[in-house]
Amino acid sequence: MMEQLDKSAIQMDGFFEKISGHEQVMFCNDPATGLKAIIAIHDTTLGPALGGTRMHPYESVEDALEDVLRLSEGMTYKCAAADLDFGGGKAVIIGDPSTDKSPALFRAFGQFVDSLNSRFYTGTDMGTTMDDFVHAMKETNYINGIPEAYGGGGDTSIPTSEGVIYALKATNKHLFGSEKLSERAYAIQGLGKVGFKVCEHLLESGASVYVTDINEKALEEIQAIGRQLKNPVKVEGTDEIYRVDADVFVPCAMGGVLNEETIAELKVKAVVGSANNQLAKEDLIEMLATRDILYAPDYIVNAGGLISVADELYGFNQERVLLKTKAIYSSILEIYEQAKRENMTTLEAADLKCKRTLAEQKNRNNFFSRTKRPKWNFDG
C-alpha cells in the first residue's frame, strides 16, 4: 500500500512540475455529453486569458495536455507582441470533430468556461467552427470570434491575410531596400482562407507567384484569377514548393513544415507566413540563420486574426482592426533590426520583446484602482 502511495505521489509531483509555468489548468468532464476537455491559462499579467478551443482526437490525455500547455504559452507571447491587453490561454476538446460534436457538448463546455468568471475568453480553432460556439454562448458570455449575425467580427482571415502582406512588405524593405511586392517572387504553401487571400493580393500587385495545395478546386480558382489579371500562377507539387527559386517562402498551411530536410532545400532569402509553429523544432532557427534565410516569427505575422477577435470585446470595428493590424509592419522591422544589432536570431529578438512587455506591464497592472480601466472596459 505504501509503495502505491509513493508511486502516486511521484506521478503527482511530475504533473505539477509539468504545469508549473502555468497559472491554472482545468480538466472538464461531462459524461452525459461526452465532453472531455482541458483549459490552460498560462499568464494573465496583461489581462484575462484569450485563446481558441481546438478539437482533436488525441491519442492520450497526456498528448492533449502537452498540446494545450504549449499553445496557451504561445498565446501569451502573441498577445504581448500584438500589444493586446490580454494574457495567454487555450482549450482542447478530446474528440473527433467529424463525429463527436453536438450542441449539448458545446453547451457543457460553455458552462465550464463560464465557471472561470472572465479569466478566459475563447472561440474557434482547429476542429471547431463559429457555429459550435453559438451553442456555447447560451451558457457563457466569454466567447469571441463569433458570426457577424451574433455581433461578432466574422471572417478573421481578412485581417490575418492583411497582416501577412504587411510582414512581406517589411521583409522586402529590410532585405532589398524597397517594400514593393511586385518586384519579388513568392512561393505560397497552402490556399486556405488566408493563403488564398495573400496569393490574390500578390497577383493583383503584379508579383510572381508559385503555389501548392492538395485542394484542386482552390488551385483552379487561383489560376483563373491569375489569367484574368494576365499574371499566370505557377503551380508546384507539395514537395517541389521548397525547391522553387523564389525570394520568399510563404507557409500558410500546417505547422512543422520547416525541418532539416526542407530547410536544406530552400532557395529563398526569407520565410514569412501565417502557419502556426512553422519550425518543427525551435532550434532550427539556427539552421535558417546559417543559410542566411531571414525568418519572420509566425506569431507576429499572423496576429491579425487575434487582433480581430480581441476587438470584438470592445464592440467590433473593422476599420479599427485593420488600423491595429498595420502595426505588424513596424513590429517585424523592429525585430529584424534588433536581431541584427544584438547578433541574435529573430525568434530570440521577438521573445525578448514580449518578455520586456510582460515585465513592464506587471507593475502597472498591480497598481490598485477601484475603477475599471479602459483597456478592460468590456462586458462579460
Side-chain angles (χ1 to χ4, degrees):
M1 180 65 123
M2 285 301 296
E3 285 182 14
Q4 287 180 331
L5 288 173
D6 288 343
K7 187 176 180 182
S8 296
I10 291 169
Q11 289 175 335
M12 186 64 74
D13 286 344
F15 172 76
F16 276 101
E17 185 179 346
K18 183 184 281 285
I19 67 170
S20 61
H22 285 65
E23 291 179 6
Q24 185 175 3
V25 177
M26 180 181 186
F27 286 78
C28 314
N29 182 43
D30 186 61
T33 63
L35 175 72
K36 294 182 178 69
I38 309 173
I39 299 171
I41 296 176
H42 176 251
D43 190 297
T44 57
T45 298
L46 299 181
L50 181 67
T53 296
R54 176 172 293 193
M55 188 170 187
H56 183 74
Y58 295 97
E59 291 186 6
S60 66
V61 174
E62 288 77 14
D63 287 348
L65 179 62
E66 192 73 35
D67 204 28
V68 78
L69 293 178
R70 177 180 58 84
L71 292 167
S72 56
E73 182 176 4
M75 288 304 300
T76 297
Y77 284 87
K78 271 192 172 188
C79 288
D83 194 29
L84 298 175
D85 293 299
F86 292 90
K90 207 78 175 183
V92 296
I93 296 174
I94 302 171
D96 188 333
S98 64
T99 58
D100 296 335
K101 283 185 182 182
S102 70
L105 181 144
F106 279 92
R107 289 186 71 150
F109 178 70
Q111 289 179 315
F112 282 105
V113 171
D114 198 66
S115 72
L116 289 167
N117 195 27
S118 82
R119 273 178 57 77
F120 177 59
Y121 288 78
T122 192
T124 64
D125 199 288
M126 187 178 77
T128 61
T129 68
M130 288 190 287
D131 289 337
D132 295 328
F133 286 93
V134 169
H135 301 298
M137 281 174 62
K138 294 175 182 176
E139 306 294 340
T140 183
N141 289 322
Y142 309 126
I143 301 294
N144 53 9
I146 56 177
E148 290 179 85
Y150 290 86
D155 188 1
T156 58
S157 69
I158 296 170
T160 305
S161 60
E162 284 292 313
V164 176
I165 294 298
Y166 284 124
L168 288 170
K169 287 181 176 179
T171 302
N172 288 350
K173 179 71 173 174
H174 181 78
L175 283 176
F176 311 115
S178 169
E179 67 177 41
K180 282 187 178 179
L181 298 170
S182 60
E183 298 173 351
R184 303 295 154 196
Y186 306 87
I188 302 176
Q189 182 186 54
L191 291 174
K193 285 186 177 181
V194 175
F196 196 96
K197 288 181 177 67
V198 170
C199 187
E200 193 171 12
H201 190 119
L202 290 172
L203 287 170
E204 289 171 353
S205 74
S208 179
V209 177
Y210 301 84
V211 300
T212 192
D213 199 289
I214 58 173
N215 186 335
E216 291 295 331
K217 186 180 178 184
L219 289 171
E220 289 169 7
E221 287 177 5
I222 203 67
Q223 285 178 288
I225 291 171
R227 285 192 296 270
Q228 191 176 11
L229 294 168
K230 294 183 170 51
N231 186 7
V233 176
K234 304 160 197 69
V235 176
E236 301 290 335
T238 53
D239 293 329
E240 285 71 28
I241 197 70
Y242 299 105
R243 299 190 286 272
V244 166
D245 193 9
D247 294 296
V248 186
F249 177 57
V250 188
C252 295
M254 295 295 290
V257 296
L258 295 173
N259 53 44
E260 288 93 340
E261 195 175 301
T262 56
I263 291 173
E265 292 181 323
L266 290 175
K267 296 180 180 178
V268 296
K269 299 175 181 65
V271 175
V272 184
S274 65
N276 285 308
N277 305 313
Q278 295 160 23
L279 295 165
K281 295 182 295 182
E282 276 203 8
D283 59 9
L284 287 169
I285 187 72
E286 299 289 352
M287 185 175 177
L288 284 170
T290 300
R291 297 207 57 222
D292 205 23
I293 298 173
L294 187 65
Y295 179 74
D298 52 63
Y299 67 84
I300 296 179
V301 175
N302 64 23
L306 179 63
I307 291 168
S308 178
V309 296
D311 191 77
E312 281 185 20
L313 297 173
Y314 302 93
F316 184 75
N317 183 306
Q318 180 80 7
E319 188 177 349
R320 183 172 61 206
V321 167
L322 295 178
L323 191 63
K324 288 180 179 178
T325 302
K326 280 185 180 179
I328 291 173
Y329 179 93
S330 55
S331 290
I332 291 289
L333 273 181
E334 181 186 335
I335 285 160
Y336 288 161
E337 289 160 5
Q338 183 180 356
K340 185 177 181 180
R341 185 173 61 250
E342 300 188 26
N343 193 29
M344 59 175 59
T345 68
T346 52
L347 261 186
E348 288 171 331
D351 288 352
L352 183 60
K353 179 185 177 185
C354 294
K355 286 175 182 175
R356 284 173 177 164
T357 297
L358 289 165
E360 288 165 1
Q361 289 292 99
K362 200 173 190 70
N363 289 333
R364 190 170 297 121
N365 289 345
N366 286 341
F367 188 90
F368 178 74
S369 172
R370 287 189 182 276
T371 59
K372 186 181 284 188
R373 283 171 266 185
K375 61 187 176 183
W376 297 321
N377 190 21
F378 47 79
D379 295 324

